[in-house]
Amino acid sequence: VDLGGRIQRSARDKIQRYDDRSDQLYDLLWNSKTKTGLMPASTRVSTASTINLLNDYGGTFSDEAIREVLGVGWMEKLRVLVAQRDTMSWADMDALRQSVGRHTKGMKTDGNDPGLARDLYAAIMKDMEVAADQTSPLAKRAFKNARRYWRLGADVVENLEKEIIAKDPQDLV
């Protein structure tokens, strides 16, 4: 019996269910495939919190660290964002949220800093929340529900990691 493999599959399946449901909730706001949602793609989102975070980390992290968090394709977008200190469309901000969100889980490695990714994700979410709040009560409620559910999933990941690390190796045999 491969108990370790079963535990790993069970944890992976549980995390996947949270990720899938969170995606469904965010798709209510903006679905990039169908180009529909409560938030029109053209809705402008202030990038104030995102810019503030990037300015705070500017002296701490090299471009390489940020590039690893965002992926090479977003590095140029990020530079434009910082230079303009302007707004982004909801669709672009949501794509940025998803790109950064993929890097918020796991452990710190040479190529990934989940702490930086989580901080950047939180700043992006703060900017998006302001736009959702200003759009409609329904968009505001949908955004809060999606965000809350995503946090629940992140907590599940963190708790599973702690639980597995704390287990006595003999219990896994």
Side-chain angles (χ1 to χ4, degrees):
V1 174
D2 179 18
L3 189 57
R6 281 195 342 218
I7 291 171
Q8 184 180 18
R9 281 188 300 280
S10 174
R12 185 182 57 236
D13 291 347
K14 187 173 190 176
I15 292 165
Q16 189 60 53
R17 286 191 300 273
Y18 271 96
D19 285 348
D20 291 347
R21 180 64 179 147
S22 177
D23 289 345
Q24 291 170 350
L25 291 169
Y26 279 111
D27 281 351
L28 292 173
L29 290 157
W30 174 250
N31 185 317
S32 60
K33 292 176 185 141
T34 63
K35 309 288 189 229
T36 60
L38 296 171
M39 297 296 298
S42 60
T43 301
R44 301 309 296 172
V45 180
S46 167
T47 56
S49 295
T50 304
I51 292 297
N52 288 339
L53 178 115
L54 291 170
N55 286 340
D56 288 347
Y57 277 112
T60 308
F61 293 95
S62 68
D63 280 358
E64 185 62 34
I66 295 172
R67 186 179 294 115
E68 288 298 328
V69 171
L70 297 177
V72 176
W74 279 102
M75 193 61 206
E76 189 56 34
K77 183 74 169 180
L78 186 61
R79 284 189 180 139
V80 169
L81 176 69
V82 171
Q84 290 178 346
R85 294 178 180 256
D86 201 359
T87 62
M88 289 176 68
S89 71
W90 181 272
D92 285 346
M93 203 66 162
D94 191 53
L96 181 60
R97 175 194 65 78
Q98 291 176 46
S99 180
V100 172
R102 286 189 284 274
H103 299 282
T104 59
K105 299 172 184 157
M107 301 171 117
K108 184 173 181 172
T109 64
D110 288 340
N112 189 37
D113 185 346
L116 173 58
R118 281 191 291 273
D119 290 347
L120 184 53
Y121 191 89
I124 292 165
M125 295 298 286
K126 189 174 182 180
D127 289 334
M128 291 179 79
E129 183 173 23
V130 170
D133 288 356
Q134 293 171 351
T135 299
S136 73
L138 186 57
K140 177 179 180 175
R141 189 169 56 246
F143 186 83
K144 289 187 186 305
N145 285 340
R147 186 174 190 176
R148 183 175 35 95
Y149 203 86
W150 187 88
R151 276 195 217 141
L152 286 171
D155 289 346
V156 165
V157 170
E158 188 174 320
N159 291 335
L160 283 170
E161 287 174 353
K162 287 178 184 176
E163 184 180 315
I164 290 169
I165 290 170
K167 282 209 182 278
D168 184 340
Q170 291 302 318
D171 292 343
L172 300 175
V173 178

